[in-house]
Amino acid sequence: MPSALFDQISTSRLSTGLELLRNTLRPTPHVQLAMKGMDLFAKLEYVNPVGSIKDRPAYWILKRAAERGEICEDTTVIESSSGNFAAALASFTHLVGLRFIPVIDPNISGTYESFLRRICPTVVKVEDRDDTGGFLKTRLQKVKELCATIPNAYWTNQYGNPDAVEAHYELTATEICADFDSLDYVFIAVSTAGTIAGVSRRLKEHYPNIRVIAVDTEGSAIFGGTPRKRHIPGVGSSIVPPLLSQAEIDDVVLISECETVEACRELLTTHGLFVGGSSGTAFAAVKRYAARIPAYKYPTVLFLCADRGTPYLDTVFDPTWASRLE
Ligand SMILES: Cc1ncc(COP(=O)(O)O)c(C=O)c1O
């Protein structure tokens, strides 16, 4: 028997699937936006195969876990996510032949819930709010219960997994370094802090003078505020994410949800970019920050567009929904 064919047949679905994924996750493009006083670029992370920046940690966490022998063909992957990370994990675990149980909450967009229910045999939806008024703590408690009862369960733990940081260090940031000869500012919306931790560390090595601006939403607890009800997923958190301590941050900008809505609309109508809430939040921060940058500097500025606008059609892009925000 020809050895190449034999190798292919004997190689497990897990490792061939991971190999396939590595080839599918191609570098994402960036585009320049017209903006006074700076060269402004947006990196379009929605071009990733499942549609968001979370494809990168989803792939990398599975790859690293497989390399360490922590997951095998009998593993059930479990994760708390109400959006992009669950969608990425659902697709990738399906491809590599693993079971996946997403733990979601009522804030999930209808699009994501339908998607997860189409491809995951089991979806667990928590209904009880935690002491912050959100659902994160309830979801994490449910994940722990499932891990304790399901044989060969593996919790990808997006809030504390150092492989998520490594994913952005190795993939997202490496692409940025290859694309830009110089970079003065990068604006990154934060939730689990995996992106900002990995990207900031790599960019600070490559561009020693770069300023990393963390962007958060009002009502988030990440940078010390009291958590309160928020409505736009993907940015902010009701806890301080453990990965935040690995990030190298120069400044923080807090954006209200109303500003996010306005910025998303401006990106669509003025710049032709149909992007999600965290992209608008980052763009709003760039605009606010621009006033502080001396005109003579004319910096090169980058912000990340983490996902597309489609899942936000009934929220951020719905004027009736938006009019109810304080
Ligand atoms: C749309 C979107 N933007 C930004 C982020 C923030 O990334 P991180 O969790 O790495 O801080 C997320 C995380 O889920 C997201 O879904």
Side-chain angles (χ1 to χ4, degrees):
M1 184 182 281
S3 65
L5 180 61
F6 182 75
D7 283 352
Q8 237 177 6
I9 291 167
S10 63
T11 310
S12 74
R13 185 162 165 199
L14 179 56
S15 50
T16 45
L18 286 169
E19 188 83 32
L20 241 158
L21 276 176
R22 182 64 194 105
N23 294 325
T24 315
L25 279 162
R26 307 306 304 160
T28 56
H30 62 266
V31 291
Q32 185 161 9
L33 274 58
M35 177 69 73
K36 242 174 95 182
M38 63 177 73
D39 278 324
L40 177 63
F41 297 90
K43 184 167 172 64
L44 309 182
E45 286 296 302
Y46 58 73
V47 176
N48 279 304
V50 186
S52 87
I53 197 163
K54 294 302 245 191
D55 287 13
R56 298 168 182 280
Y59 159 69
W60 201 264
I61 286 172
L62 292 176
K63 168 184 133 74
R64 282 293 196 223
E67 285 167 358
R68 289 192 293 261
E70 292 167 2
I71 58 174
C72 63
E73 314 248 311
D74 297 331
T75 298
T76 298
V77 174
I78 299 178
E79 184 57 287
S80 150
S81 163
S82 250
N84 289 317
F85 195 54
L89 276 179
S91 310
F92 296 166
T93 49
H94 194 70
L95 178 77
V96 304
L98 303 179
R99 260 164 55 83
F100 172 51
I101 302 180
V103 178
I104 61 170
D105 68 47
N107 281 342
I108 191 168
S109 92
T111 319
Y112 278 125
E113 184 163 357
S114 308
F115 178 74
L116 293 174
R117 291 195 186 278
R118 282 278 149 76
I119 55 174
C120 303
T122 310
V123 173
V124 175
K125 192 170 184 177
V126 303
E127 302 286 349
D128 298 331
R129 289 188 183 274
D130 58 34
D131 57 2
T132 69
F135 294 97
L136 180 61
K137 291 182 185 172
T138 324
R139 280 199 263 132
L140 292 175
Q141 182 55 35
K142 182 54 77 180
V143 166
K144 285 188 185 139
E145 283 166 33
L146 292 168
C147 287
T149 50
I150 294 173
N152 298 322
Y154 182 81
W155 176 29
T156 38
N157 187 10
Q158 61 164 330
Y159 276 85
N161 193 330
D163 296 336
V165 178
E166 197 179 69
H168 292 292
Y169 183 96
E170 294 292 342
L171 303 175
T172 324
T174 300
E175 289 170 24
I176 296 171
C177 296
D179 281 354
F180 293 90
D181 289 338
S182 71
L183 207 49
D184 300 301
Y185 293 89
V186 65
F187 287 74
I188 302 175
V190 181
S191 181
T192 66
T195 307
I196 199 160
V199 170
S200 66
R201 282 163 58 177
R202 181 76 180 233
L203 295 194
K204 289 270 182 186
E205 287 164 12
H206 196 82
Y207 311 101
N209 297 322
I210 193 170
R211 289 183 65 78
V212 175
I213 316 299
V215 185
D216 197 8
T217 190
E218 288 178 3
S220 161
I222 299 177
F223 296 99
T226 309
R228 61 160 205 268
K229 203 165 173 206
R230 292 167 292 112
H231 309 86
I232 301 174
V235 56
S237 170
S238 54
I239 60 168
V240 179
L243 298 179
L244 187 66
S245 61
Q246 297 184 36
E248 296 183 28
I249 294 171
D250 296 293
D251 216 340
V252 177
V253 179
L254 280 187
I255 297 294
S256 72
E257 292 193 314
C258 291
E259 287 173 279
T260 291
V261 166
E262 257 176 53
C264 283
R265 292 199 192 139
E266 185 179 334
L267 281 170
L268 177 61
T269 54
T270 310
H271 300 282
L273 289 180
F274 180 41
V275 288
S278 73
S279 313
T281 313
F283 180 60
V286 170
K287 293 200 336 164
R288 189 179 311 158
Y289 214 84
R292 291 203 225 161
I293 300 171
Y296 68 87
K297 283 206 162 163
Y298 215 90
T300 303
V301 178
L302 178 70
F303 72 103
L304 305 183
C305 289
D307 66 358
R308 250 194 207 290
T310 317
Y312 305 84
L313 271 174
D314 294 335
T315 54
V316 171
F317 290 97
D318 175 3
T320 310
W321 181 90
S323 68
R324 291 196 291 262
L325 293 172
E326 294 112 51

